[in-house]
Amino acid sequence: MTDKNTGAVGLEVSGLSKSYGETEVLHDISFQVEPGEVFVIMGPSGSGKSVLLKHLIGLEQPTAGEVLIDGRAVTDPATLRTIHAALVFQAGALFNSMSVYDNLALYPREHRILPEKGIRDRIGEILRILSLENAAERFPAELSGGMRKRVAIARALVMEPQIIFYDEPTSELDPIMAATISEIIACLKEQIDVTSIVVSHDRDLSLTIADRIAILMDGRLRVIATPDKLKATDDAAVADFLNPAIDLKNPRFKQRSA
Ligand SMILES: Nc1ncnc2c1ncn2[C@@H]1O[C@H](COP(=O)(O)OP(=O)(O)O)[C@@H](O)[C@H]1O
Ligand SMILES: [Mg+2]
């Protein structure tokens, strides 16, 4: 087995629907993400973003349709054994009893991917990319929320992923830290050959980092477009979501197409 990143991989979703009991949560969703692309999935709360993400990483079985990574079904266990995929969880999920360095070394040590010296070199490089050199010997509880988030990204990068999934990478961060995370995701695109799929309801983040944005509403794909095209949308529901007009004297109530 090689630990080399053999290049960013594409992802394809076709005709994906998901029902829980009688309730359809995702309806006939199809899109393609190109290798190396930063693809952001946005949508109001409850629109189905998290459920969609679970399907993209093979944690849920669709009621209809399929998800392919690099042309292979993500529900086939062999797919994620051969493709390096990494997930940056919302809360970070770091081990509090271990230093940052040991958190990062956990996966490569367990899978004997590299000798200790190789692990040290790789972690050193990743800490540098994320400006975390001074955090290596510290413990997660001693770090700010923004640093913990960066460590979570660092841990994903240690796996030399070909595709990274981020679930709400800027939630719980103040605006300055959120902007830093945006910069990091955008900068990784230049430094590492990886495809990034980001689920977020953070408009600033999405419009800054995305090559393309998909907007999910009520379990349906409303539009896929570049940030510039989206800012100029003539779809009132999309414009409302991206740029909510707050006019207290004349409140507008959004209609849900149930
Ligand atoms: N396991 C489940 N069983 C039943 N309904 C679910 C389940 N998971 C999510 N849902 C429903 O699917 C819809 C979309 O949820 P979710 O994907 O979490 O929304 P978002 O992440 O966009 O806020 C919600 O109405 C939610 O209640
Ligand atoms: Mg969610």
Side-chain angles (χ1 to χ4, degrees):
M1 181 185 152
T2 166
D3 67 296
K4 267 253 149 290
N5 179 339
T6 47
V9 289
L11 175 144
E12 183 176 357
V13 176
S14 52
L16 182 78
S17 294
K18 178 66 174 182
S19 297
Y20 294 107
E22 296 288 289
T23 313
E24 192 181 49
V25 171
L26 296 176
H27 179 79
D28 194 18
I29 293 184
S30 299
F31 60 87
Q32 253 175 292
V33 180
E34 301 301 323
E37 191 172 10
V38 177
F39 189 84
V40 178
I41 298 164
M42 291 187 79
S45 176
S47 57
K49 302 182 297 296
S50 293
V51 172
L52 177 57
L53 182 64
K54 285 181 193 154
H55 283 83
L56 302 187
I57 58 181
L59 282 179
E60 284 271 14
Q61 288 277 356
T63 308
E66 62 179 354
V67 176
L68 305 177
I69 297 184
D70 203 25
R72 290 178 279 178
V74 73
T75 46
D76 177 353
T79 303
L80 290 180
R81 273 204 303 270
T82 40
I83 290 165
H84 288 195
L87 179 61
V88 179
F89 290 100
Q90 196 159 347
L94 301 169
F95 290 100
N96 283 319
S97 59
M98 293 180 194
S99 71
V100 165
Y101 183 89
D102 287 335
N103 263 285
L104 299 184
L106 198 61
Y107 172 86
R109 278 177 184 155
E110 222 163 63
H111 294 260
R112 297 168 202 271
I113 281 174
L114 285 171
E116 197 61 33
K117 161 92 169 72
I119 293 175
R120 199 161 49 230
D121 290 348
R122 185 189 291 177
I123 291 177
E125 187 193 338
I126 288 165
L127 290 175
R128 208 159 40 247
I129 292 175
L130 295 178
S131 307
L132 282 170
E133 294 100 320
N134 299 328
E137 298 312 320
R138 293 164 72 184
F139 287 82
E142 304 169 341
L143 305 176
S144 67
M147 280 177 102
R148 271 202 296 275
K149 197 75 84 177
R150 271 185 284 158
V151 174
I153 295 174
R155 195 176 51 178
L157 294 180
V158 167
M159 299 169 64
E160 299 220 316
Q162 298 169 278
I163 183 163
I164 305 188
F165 299 91
Y166 297 88
D167 190 11
E168 300 282 2
T170 55
S171 65
E172 301 146 32
L173 297 182
D174 64 61
I176 292 174
M177 208 49 243
T180 308
I181 296 294
S182 302
E183 275 171 33
I184 285 170
I185 295 175
C187 151
L188 288 181
K189 184 185 156 75
E190 311 303 325
Q191 303 201 31
I192 295 175
D193 193 14
V194 67
T195 306
S196 303
I197 298 191
V198 184
V199 169
S200 180
H201 65 262
D202 180 336
R203 296 161 184 78
D204 293 335
L205 169 89
S206 304
L207 292 168
T208 311
I209 66 171
D211 291 314
R212 288 184 304 152
I213 298 174
I215 295 194
L216 210 55
M217 288 186 170
D218 293 325
R220 290 159 196 261
L221 200 52
R222 183 86 185 195
V223 64
I224 298 183
T226 60
D228 283 346
K229 286 248 169 65
L230 265 191
K231 286 182 210 161
T233 183
D234 54 13
D235 179 332
V238 172
D240 239 28
F241 168 66
L242 286 175
N243 207 354
I246 299 172
D247 183 351
L248 293 176
K249 272 177 285 179
N250 185 18
R252 292 190 293 162
F253 295 96
K254 278 171 234 167
Q255 282 191 334
R256 287 172 67 90
S257 55

